[in-house]
Amino acid sequence: MTEQTNNNVPQLSFVMVVHDDETAIEQHLAQFFHQECATPYEVIVVDDASTDNTSDLLRSMKVKYPQLHATFFPKSVPNPSRMQLALYVGVKAAKSDIIVLSDINRPPTSPQWIDGLVAQMADHLSEAVMIYTGRKHPDDVTFQLFTQLEDAEPMLRKAERRSGKGHQARHFKLKRGNYDAVAITSQRIYDAIRFYDTSIKWFSLLGLRLQVFFKNLID
């Protein structure tokens, strides 16, 4: 595990939204902190009005993991796009230049995941990076780089809306645009969030899937 103190300025911020995810938090959240990497980072979890023990579990884990920052999104806020608003809450709390929008069920799987991502974004001046890992070979990490955020829009608009079950191979996941996490520069993160949780009609969704598949097939 990387030794970090409150004096370390994070270079990377994980941001994730959870709802009634007590079991997933117990199984996976610790993995976000057990990384032998050189990059200082933080993990921000937004509790979207959970009704189970999620909030209590997050409070208890903050004692053990000082990089963990937990906040909440109240149920009383009426909005058709709760995911967007919850992500805004998490991103606003982030202190780094690289924001990783992640899933509690898909923690980083190797040191190359975090350190490699930071190096790739610095070397290629990318505004967005999709991260793919193979379930059978978790140390095998692939980064899909986008110089402009707009080039990543089809993936961010949820071209692949399933959990990824049945698409476990990293190679096929990349072809489908079914990434494990996405990293966005802090300068473009609010532009990226607007692509989340939007209503897409079935024919538009089919068009997005085809667009992503053929683009990734050619690239």
Side-chain angles (χ1 to χ4, degrees):
M1 177 179 175
T2 301
E3 293 295 330
Q4 296 184 36
T5 68
N6 291 332
N7 294 326
N8 288 130
V9 177
Q11 294 178 246
L12 180 148
S13 299
F14 288 100
V15 174
M16 68 188 77
V17 178
V18 297
H19 173 73
D20 288 349
D21 281 317
E22 177 185 1
T23 300
I25 291 170
E26 289 178 331
Q27 293 177 345
H28 302 299
L29 186 56
Q31 297 177 54
F32 282 86
F33 305 104
H34 295 166
Q35 299 299 309
E36 297 177 357
C37 63
T39 302
Y41 65 93
E42 62 183 352
V43 178
I44 299 170
V45 181
V46 182
D47 179 9
D48 183 6
S50 294
T51 59
D52 61 2
N53 294 320
T54 289
S55 60
D56 293 334
L57 183 57
L58 290 173
R59 278 194 291 269
S60 67
M61 294 187 73
K62 284 182 66 175
V63 177
K64 186 175 182 181
Y65 302 110
Q67 306 117 287
L68 173 61
H69 305 277
T71 184
F72 72 97
F73 186 62
K75 185 177 181 180
S76 59
V77 177
N79 193 281
S81 185
R82 289 187 63 86
M83 176 60 75
Q84 285 186 4
L85 292 182
L87 287 173
Y88 279 127
V89 170
V91 166
K92 189 174 181 180
K95 302 179 181 67
S96 69
D97 292 329
I98 299 176
I99 313 296
V100 179
L101 302 179
S102 54
D103 187 322
I104 183 60
N105 293 294
R106 296 178 180 180
T109 53
S110 73
Q112 288 72 34
W113 202 111
I114 296 176
D115 286 345
L117 170 62
V118 172
Q120 288 280 345
M121 293 193 78
D123 291 345
H124 297 277
L125 301 177
S126 302
E127 290 186 346
V129 179
M130 305 295 179
I131 302 102
Y132 302 86
T133 58
R135 292 294 179 265
K136 292 184 179 180
H137 304 284
D139 287 337
D140 187 5
V141 183
T142 297
F143 302 108
Q144 187 178 20
L145 309 175
F146 298 91
T147 303
Q148 301 293 325
L149 172 65
E150 287 72 18
D151 295 332
E153 179 180 348
M155 271 78 87
L156 290 173
R157 292 184 65 197
K158 304 293 185 181
E160 173 62 79
R161 292 190 168 217
R162 289 176 290 179
S163 66
K165 294 180 180 178
H167 307 304
Q168 300 300 309
R170 174 187 54 80
H171 184 71
F172 194 41
K173 283 170 57 182
L174 190 151
K175 293 293 181 286
R176 296 290 295 267
N178 191 20
Y179 55 86
D180 291 289
V182 57
I184 311 288
T185 61
S186 58
Q187 292 87 353
R188 298 303 311 273
I189 186 63
Y190 291 105
D191 296 321
I193 290 175
R194 67 185 174 87
F195 296 129
Y196 275 75
D197 203 26
T198 55
S199 177
I200 303 178
K201 295 182 179 180
W202 71 267
F203 53 87
S204 298
L205 180 59
L206 177 60
L208 281 174
R209 287 175 173 169
L210 292 174
Q211 180 181 351
V212 169
F213 183 81
F214 285 111
K215 180 183 185 303
N216 289 341
L217 186 66
I218 295 172
D219 292 346

